Amino acid sequence: MLIVANWKAYVEDIAKAKKLFAVSKRLANTTRSTLVIAPPAPLLGALAVNNKSKVAFSAQDISATTGGALTGEVTAQAYATVGATYAIVGHSECRAAGDTDTIIAEKLSRALAHDLTPILCVGEHERDGEGRYLSFVREEITAALSILTPKERARVIVAYEPLWAIGKTAANAIGPNDLAEMVLYIRKVLAELLPGKSSSRSLVLYGGSVEPTNIRDLAASSSIDGFLIGHASVDPVTFPLLVKNLA
Ligand code: PGA
């Protein structure tokens, strides 16, 4: 399983960042899951340089550009140079702040150009009775992968994160059956967009109110490959519990 801890802007000081990193390093030595942490940019820089642990680092977002006179932008290359190997792209909080399908497609290209494995976030705003949420997710994936070569498409991880389930509690997360349906659907969409049988190796993650109480059921009832975890990943007690409950 791949577990990605999205620290968002919950972590704002280096002491807490170091503590959470230490917790993850210990966990990484005892779990079969792969642990990836996504700290805010300056904290990622401080922790990832000279990282010799099994914990990998992800950008929470990257610039769609190749750098230049762009105050405040952090490029894929800047993340890669301090040791990040993944990049979250198209998170709903970044989409809400202005990321369009075109920008997201460019960000995927930038990530891949610098060997950051992109974690593409998709997910509907709400569920409807007619299954429109399925075509919504299909369109997001199709638009994001549109400018990539077939080989590049095969390197993208898809994180299904329905907006209605983000930042709540386990009781508000998706149910196991609905998740199983969506994971199969995403695999079908990927099979159509990727060459040959390459989509059989594509990883699909779930994110949205994953907590120690629901992670096991969600994993057991679907063919999910891992989780993208927000609020439950920044508590030094909850996060290890979550990883242990999955095992
Ligand atoms: P959450 O966030 O676990 O706090 O719901 C998940 C995410 O937005 O990636």
Side-chain angles (χ1 to χ4, degrees):
M1 287 272 170
L2 179 65
I3 299 182
V4 184
N6 179 7
W7 292 4
K8 305 194 181 188
Y10 289 126
V11 182
E12 298 176 274
D13 65 90
I14 190 70
K16 177 156 190 194
K18 281 183 177 163
K19 178 167 188 182
L20 286 171
F21 183 35
V23 165
S24 292
K25 282 195 279 195
R26 276 199 300 276
L27 271 174
N29 288 330
T30 56
T31 177
R32 296 226 300 273
S33 294
T34 302
L35 300 188
V36 179
I37 58 177
L43 301 176
L44 184 152
L47 301 178
V49 165
N50 300 326
N51 172 34
K52 305 231 166 18
S53 77
K54 291 182 185 161
V55 178
F57 283 86
S58 175
Q60 293 183 8
D61 186 26
I62 52 167
S63 176
T65 73
T66 50
L70 296 154
T71 304
E73 291 287 295
V74 185
T75 61
Q77 184 170 2
Y79 278 106
T81 197
V82 291
T85 49
Y86 293 82
I88 298 171
V89 172
H91 190 281
S92 58
E93 286 149 18
C94 299
R95 291 182 191 255
D99 271 14
T100 61
D101 284 339
T102 310
I103 291 172
I104 288 164
E106 282 163 3
K107 288 184 174 184
L108 290 180
S109 286
R110 300 314 325 145
L112 289 164
H114 293 282
D115 268 334
L116 300 178
T117 300
I119 302 168
L120 168 68
C121 298
V122 298
E124 75 281 2
H125 294 250
E126 56 189 14
R127 287 251 158 163
D128 59 285
E130 289 88 53
R132 275 197 298 272
Y133 60 94
L134 293 171
S135 37
F136 184 86
V137 167
R138 169 187 288 274
E139 279 157 28
E140 281 192 333
I141 296 174
T142 308
L145 301 186
S146 59
I147 61 169
L148 302 184
T149 65
K151 263 195 171 160
E152 287 174 333
R153 291 178 181 191
R155 293 167 60 197
V156 176
I157 296 173
V158 175
Y160 171 59
E161 296 214 306
L163 269 70
W164 49 265
I166 292 180
K168 300 195 176 136
T169 63
N172 305 99
I174 197 166
N177 292 343
D178 286 344
L179 180 60
E181 177 206 47
M182 182 54 94
V183 174
L184 284 181
Y185 183 74
I186 289 173
R187 292 197 192 286
K188 181 167 160 281
V189 172
L190 291 174
E192 289 166 20
L193 294 169
L194 270 57
K197 291 198 168 24
S198 58
S199 73
S200 63
R201 289 192 300 276
S202 297
L203 300 185
V204 181
L205 313 182
Y206 168 75
S209 297
V210 178
E211 293 188 339
T213 50
N214 63 353
I215 192 164
R216 204 184 172 98
D217 278 353
L218 291 173
S221 56
S222 69
S223 62
I224 202 81
D225 299 300
F227 295 94
L228 180 50
I229 298 163
H231 65 273
S233 74
V234 290
D235 183 294
V237 177
T238 307
F239 188 56
L241 199 58
L242 209 145
V243 174
K244 276 180 201 134
N245 286 358
L246 180 61

